[in-house]
Amino acid sequence: METIKNAANYVSESVQGAGSEASKEANKQVAKDSNASLGTRASATKDMIGDKFDQKKHETTADVHKEAAKH
């Protein structure tokens, strides 16, 4: 039963990590857009950094659940 729970948590964290990566990339494009205002670009940069942090957190947690599901 614990293996199933860890596998489900792995999938969930992997999906969340992918979502954070997509958000990071979208914010990266806004931050690079010279037509956007300075405030918008700064906000997108801040959000991009937060998304990168979230992505790494979810990827690390997914790896932990993946290893736990193997045992």
Side-chain angles (χ1 to χ4, degrees), residues 9-67:
N9 286 335
Y10 165 72
V11 171
S12 175
E13 291 292 339
S14 295
V15 168
Q16 290 178 54
S20 293
E21 181 178 12
S23 179
K24 177 193 77 171
E25 290 301 321
N27 282 316
K28 182 178 176 180
Q29 293 307 313
V30 172
K32 291 169 40 177
D33 183 2
S34 61
N35 293 322
S37 71
L38 182 58
T40 298
R41 293 174 72 183
S43 179
T45 300
K46 177 187 71 69
D47 292 344
M48 181 184 68
I49 292 167
D51 290 337
K52 181 68 175 175
F53 175 78
D54 289 344
Q55 176 191 1
K56 289 297 181 188
K57 179 183 73 167
H58 289 302
E59 289 173 350
T60 301
T61 304
D63 288 342
V64 169
H65 288 299
K66 182 179 178 181
E67 288 303 313

